[in-house]
Amino acid sequence: MPAFRIKRQEGDDGVALQLIESEGDLPPWGPNEALSVVGHPYPRLEGREKVSGRAIYASDIRLPGQLYGKVLRSPYPRARITRLDVSRAEAAPGVHAVLSMLNAPPIGWYQEGQLFESTVRLVGDEVAAVAAESEEQAEDALRLIEVAYEPLPFVTTIAAALAPDAPKVHESGNIAGEPVIYERGDPEAGLRQADVVIDERYETPCALHNALEAHGGTAFWDGDQLTLWDSTQAVFVVREEVARAVGLPEHRVRVIKHHMGGGFGAKQIAWKVDVIASLLSKLAGRPVQLILDREAENLVSGNRNPTRQRVRLGARRDGTLTAIVAEIAQAAGAYRTGGEASDVSGTYQSLYRCPNVRTEQTAVYINAGPAVAFRAPGFVEGAAALEQAMDELARALEIDPVELRRRNYSEVDQPSGKPYTLPEGLRLSYDRVTEAFGWQDRPRPSSSGTKRRGTGFAAHDWVGGGGHDPGYAWIEMNADGTVEVITGTQDIGTGTRTGLAQIAAEELGLPLEQITLRLGDTGVGPYSPVSSGSATQATIGPAVRAAAVDLKRQVLDVAAALLEVSAVRLSIEDGKVLVDGDPERAVALSEVTEKIAPHMLQARGCRAPNPEDKAVRTFGAQCVEVEVDTETGTIDILRLATSHDCGRIVNPTMVDSQVIGGITQGIGFALMEERVVDDRLGIVLNANLEDYYVPTVADAPPIAHAPVDVPDLAANSTGAKGIGEPPLIPTAPAIANAVYDAIGIRIREYPLSRQRVLAALAAAGQGEARS
Amino acid sequence: MRAFAYASPRSLDEAIALLDGAGDGHAGGTRLLAGGTDLLTLMQADLIAPERLVDIKRLAELDDRIEDGAEGLTIGALATLAELEEDPFVQSRYPILAEAAGLAATPQLRNMATLGGNLLQRPRCWYFRDSRVHCWLKGGDLCYARGGENQHHALFDVSPCVAVHPSDPAVALLALDARVRLRGPSGEREISLGSFFAPPEDGRRKETTQADNEVIVAVRIPPRHADARGVYLKAMERKAWAFALVSVAAVLRLEAGRIAEVSVALGGVAPAPWHARDAEQVLVGAESSADLFARAADAALTGAGALAKNGYKLPLAKALLRRALADLTGQPVD
Amino acid sequence: MAANGFQPVTLTVNGSDYPIMVEPRRTLVDALRHDLALTGTKKVCAMGDCGACTVIVDGRAMYSCLLLAVDCAGRAITTIEGLAHGNNLSPLQEAFVASDGFQCGFCTSGQIMSLHALLQAHPHPSDEEIARAVTGNICRCGAYANIVKAGREAAEAMARQQEA
């Protein structure tokens, strides 16, 4: 059973208690420990369900009497609703409930708004919702809702929002919160001391998550019990936020997520759609399924904030960085959501050793969809600029770009001053990726012809991957010796089920087939945090291991009584209890558990805090070779090598899949993904999968993954860290650097679309002059 | 999608009779349903709301046959893009058409989309496709793309609308001098593809000259010299599954080192597939050379003026055309 | 047939006939998912832009979001639910599991149906043909390399079954 101590602190806001739990002082699995399940490839436990079409997602729920919800959305980027009449919709065939500001309870939403308001601030803002017997009837009913809008002036770009006399998105103005300023040393002096200064501006686009499964779910408000089958990365977060919004106690709200069709960060909070579905169900007295259509998904349910970044780097002739200064503006959209912050500044402060650093990050409101975490939020945008700037610096200094980074290596998390748990993680990434790619002997760019090849490099760090407390797992052992691991975490498609089962199997000495995971249900498992920040394996893995250690102790106590030997002489291997020095006496685990049935052995594990004196981070680096066609602007990625420190690799198959998947999204971010808004109309022109291009199979290049695979023994008892987000971070700048290498032109605005490449070539006089 | 009625007439004449008086506006009227890949997206986006759909896939008078004869190659209007792509005769004699069909859309869409529907598909312009925007093409006053996000739009300013025609096969067919057989209430007529397509204008806010009560029955490619070769090149924003930013179809025959016959069409540059006659004039009778192709490419874009965001299409179109010509004549690319 | 009303249609799905009443505007994907409760086929974009709803109609992969249910009478429809034999997954399904040809799994039914159609028509495809067969299926998790691998391994497994 978990032990804890309590830290009490009295502050201005009253008393704060911090519960510090213990995993039971487990020594981590050693670097050379022979592990039989962990570290080995296994197919996903839910594979069979997913390939047979039987995996149940939120939109697959079918309940008796189920209704279908649809939402009426604002066609204007900013307007006042002067009249709203839902009476015809209420009377329409099949309609059971209509929800709007006329009858919805006052529920605060986002940091600035309400569930329904008389002011709309983006195209897609919720105006009313309908539940009807079919989707078609719900859609018909929406057309019967009469709304009169008084359109108001609006802004859709950072520049427009910051202009004097700009229309205000909110009455408080267009600056969202206070600018976040970080400074160490004397950055201006550092720039003065520099032999070389790079001073450039970069822009990253608004990228749309486009998880194939849209936000939404199926809600059933039955009496005083609400059950919500939701597409979410965080069943407990959704429970808390929905319960608070609709005024139910937490034990009356159950949130279930069996399987999820992708989240990529956008599903780590509750969204309006969850509350609207719940309230429609309450009104109708029937289950309501409300899934966003693709357009709404792309308008209102989050995006990667567009940024404009001015970066100044100062360095001595030998490459030593003397200053890093970044001024960052990011568009928050019309509202600020919760969840992981988009910390664009973070990587500037930590990736390279530098005594003088200043970052200033300002979030700006615009009349467009709210930004939310998107796979390594902030770091992707920051790296896109910083890692091009480092390449520019390397060129200016005539130092190999990898060598420049090695010369500015930090083994310490500089903002906190704490050493990294695996200080060599980034260095090992450099070593392995350059070797796998053949960086030293890389082909030199050709300077003639229309097909130019070039190579590029980029590194990254990431604040996530280390996991954190709290998080819980229980294990029950059945009478036949099989095991159920129960936890309130969720598998969002990353392989969590499989990875956690491997931890349990390893510790218990059981084959993987004897483990079942029960997760994704607040009604079943104990609290676990949101699956974000590449945290899940590193957060819940140690909790599972702690529970397994406890359970094993109990089983061995029982076995000791059965076998009449001391428990210290017993171990479990491949489902058998072995007696040290007496192989003849081995018994199947089931023989032990059957002796005590129907008594059940059970254990609880928790996740203790990360080490106080060290910083847990993840690192990686990528090399890429491209070919650029100087006449057509085509960029072909010929090959890409990548290396990542994610601590111990629990399942190489899952890690490889995360790596190639993240890089594929990175290629999209680098080359094609960009929300396009008409600034005169305030309309998103490509809120779909036709004009918002995401990579197809034809866009995915060969990827060589050279893992670091060194257990991070100081991080947690499994030595494993997360890999979900990191692979995406360095991809775009690595590609941009390779494009520069190929054609000698810097493109500092992402994505590097054909339009931008050809325009840059024309401006440089390399392509045909623009007429 | 709004409600509609679904009818399965017994004959093509019956289907055409249902089209009589059909409006072309947003609401009401009758539409023909074949592959449905464009029609249903227009309806899903609430750009049109017909009262009735008429299924023409099972009519005896319409077919998907691809037949070679004395009059050339006749392709039934119901032939799918996949059938064009996979047909062995098309592959061997008209590879340009098989390539264009195969570069269009995706396997699934090619399995569904008919050639007739492909010629009739509406533009992908994102203003046109947004029901909130009442643009000129939909009966409004203004083409919003002109002063807006026009990176995918036309180089040739030949209509109040600057959308581009989205079809790949149409560009190849234009270069093959294809003709379209139409059937209306008073019988059949055959017109050149060049006169079937026409930039939208006041009084005809659509991309074709087909009457509202006419149906495409077949497309015919007239016989041509056995030595003629063709190629279709397409530039997209990603490696597959995107509409052409620019495409080029060229058909050419060499005779004793000189270009005896040539036909050039461009896609992605105008509201209708673009016949580059100026380029043909430069090329015909001339000896092939990189310099000639460069001049032809310049000629092909004569009169093309860039909008604010589509200037990149000019060098792109020229490059694709130079490469197409080089490929057809065996010249080095550079 | 009443205008705008429901009308009968019999869908033939995975070898069984399903007589249902639908509005003409009901798409095949909605009929499968709602009227037949065959939820393995996923609806993502409803505009033919993603491939998640891919089913096989008369031997060819198609987007069920751009087909009307009433338009599918008499056509042989195969969905993801029709591939396994009882409790035995098809070789292609097995290969997807073994090759980790998915992560979240939401595009997987569509990917598998596209490749199933390919393998039925061309049992010995090249990697290029396999990739081409799924160009119309977006995988946002980016499992493409493993999807192609699954197609290759399924083709090999099916060839071995043929020999055996």
Side-chain angles (χ1 to χ4, degrees), chain B residues 189-201:
Chain B
R189 65 181 180 125
E190 188 183 272
I191 57 172
S192 72
L193 200 65
S195 52
F196 173 80
F197 287 118
E201 57 189 29

Side-chain angles (χ1 to χ4, degrees), chain B residues 72-130:
Chain B
L73 186 75
T74 302
I75 305 163
L78 293 182
T80 63
L81 299 193
E83 287 167 333
L84 279 178
E85 178 191 3
E86 295 164 10
D87 185 87
F89 186 78
V90 175
Q91 283 179 346
S92 67
R93 279 292 280 122
Y94 301 96
I96 181 176
L97 184 56
E99 286 162 16
L103 280 168
T106 68
Q108 293 94 321
L109 287 166
R110 297 195 290 270
N111 284 336
M112 304 167 76
T114 63
L115 180 59
N118 182 270
L119 299 182
L120 288 168
Q121 66 184 307
R122 303 305 311 275
R124 309 309 306 186
C125 168
W126 41 29
Y127 295 97
F128 173 74
R129 293 274 164 175
D130 192 319

Side-chain angles (χ1 to χ4, degrees), chain A residues 44 48 50-51 53 57 59-60 62 68 135-136 140 208-210 212 260 493 657 661 665 673 695 697, chain C residues 25-26 33-34 39-40 42 44 49 80 87 93 100 102-107 131 138 140-141 144 146:
Chain A
R44 280 165 213 270
R48 185 184 175 84
K50 285 184 175 173
V51 301
Y57 298 80
S59 58
D60 298 333
R62 297 287 177 267
Y68 296 88
E135 290 191 42
E136 289 91 340
D140 289 345
L208 301 171
H209 299 69
N210 266 311
L212 287 197
M260 191 170 81
S657 285
Q665 286 187 352
E673 296 190 31
V697 67
Chain C
R25 60 174 156 167
R26 177 140 282 201
R33 292 180 48 79
H34 295 296
T39 55
K42 299 300 185 230
V44 168
D49 293 329
I80 188 71
N87 245 329
Q93 290 171 309
D100 210 34
F102 53 88
Q103 292 176 37
C104 80
F106 216 69
C107 73
I138 296 293
R140 190 54 162 154
C141 298
Y144 293 123
N146 291 348

Side-chain angles (χ1 to χ4, degrees), chain A residues 144-451:
Chain A
L144 300 175
I145 296 174
E146 293 164 28
V147 195
Y149 298 93
E150 179 195 339
L152 299 169
F154 58 89
V155 288
T156 53
T157 65
I158 294 172
L162 294 176
D165 305 324
K168 288 179 180 175
V169 178
H170 294 282
E171 280 180 15
S172 58
N174 291 340
I175 304 296
E178 292 292 312
V180 181
I181 296 166
Y182 168 88
E183 189 167 305
R184 70 170 178 258
D186 187 342
E188 292 303 325
L191 287 170
R192 285 194 301 273
Q193 292 156 14
D195 296 319
V196 174
V197 171
I198 298 294
D199 181 358
E200 296 294 349
R201 289 163 198 273
Y202 305 84
E203 288 189 23
T204 63
C206 176
L208 301 171
H209 299 69
N210 266 311
L212 287 197
E213 183 188 27
H215 285 67
T218 307
F220 189 18
W221 192 310
D222 186 14
D224 61 356
Q225 171 72 41
L226 171 65
T227 307
L228 182 60
W229 289 264
D230 196 35
S231 178
T232 180
Q233 297 170 231
V235 291
F236 276 93
V237 172
V238 171
R239 185 180 77 160
E240 180 195 335
E241 293 182 358
V242 170
R244 188 170 56 222
V246 304
L248 282 175
E250 289 190 358
H251 75 303
R252 296 292 185 214
V253 179
R254 178 176 175 189
V255 178
I256 303 171
K257 185 218 68 77
H258 296 303
H259 295 284
M260 191 170 81
F264 312 121
K267 293 175 178 167
Q268 54 177 285
I269 52 174
W271 289 86
K272 280 187 182 179
V273 64
D274 298 309
V275 180
I276 291 172
S278 301
L279 293 176
L280 283 172
S281 176
K282 184 185 187 186
L283 281 176
R286 287 165 67 165
V288 173
Q289 185 163 97
L290 175 48
I291 309 289
L292 298 189
D293 61 30
R294 184 54 35 181
E295 184 185 67
E297 174 72 11
N298 278 333
L299 290 178
V300 305
S301 64
N303 54 67
R304 187 187 294 285
N305 53 201
T307 71
R308 291 155 41 121
Q309 303 176 52
R310 180 188 177 196
V311 181
R312 283 179 288 166
L313 301 180
R316 295 191 201 283
R317 188 55 60 196
D318 68 359
T320 307
L321 284 167
T322 58
I324 299 174
V325 180
E327 293 150 52
I328 300 151
Q330 60 193 141
Y335 305 102
R336 279 177 298 162
T337 56
E340 264 174 295
S342 174
D343 181 11
V344 184
S345 309
T347 196
Y348 289 100
Q349 300 162 11
S350 54
L351 183 54
Y352 298 113
R353 189 183 64 238
C354 183
N356 309 305
V357 176
R358 179 183 161 87
T359 60
E360 181 172 347
Q361 182 175 333
T362 306
V364 177
Y365 290 120
I366 59 172
N367 291 104
V372 77
F374 187 166
R375 208 165 183 172
F379 277 58
V380 168
E381 300 92 298
L386 172 61
E387 285 300 276
Q388 268 215 66
M390 283 296 282
D391 200 67
E392 302 196 45
L393 180 63
R395 303 249 170 202
L397 292 167
E398 296 179 340
I399 297 175
D400 176 90
V402 182
E403 177 58 26
L404 176 67
R405 288 164 170 96
R406 288 185 190 276
R407 288 184 193 176
N408 292 285
Y409 196 89
S410 179
E411 299 194 336
V412 173
D413 174 54
Q414 296 163 91
S416 68
K418 297 176 184 176
Y420 294 128
T421 48
L422 193 70
E424 68 273 33
L426 182 58
R427 189 178 291 125
L428 291 170
S429 300
Y430 291 163
D431 294 347
R432 301 218 170 141
V433 75
T434 52
E435 190 191 334
F437 187 79
W439 180 259
Q440 288 305 325
D441 311 313
R442 66 192 182 278
R444 300 313 307 154
S446 52
S447 55
S448 63
T450 57
K451 303 270 177 92

Side-chain angles (χ1 to χ4, degrees), chain B residues 192-210:
Chain B
S192 72
L193 200 65
S195 52
F196 173 80
F197 287 118
E201 57 189 29
D202 272 321
R204 183 182 50 75
R205 298 193 183 191
K206 60 179 191 175
E207 300 75 31
T208 71
T209 58
Q210 183 192 29

Side-chain angles (χ1 to χ4, degrees), chain C residues 14-25:
Chain C
N14 303 327
S16 300
D17 284 348
Y18 297 88
I20 54 172
M21 292 290 289
V22 292
E23 283 191 86
R25 60 174 156 167

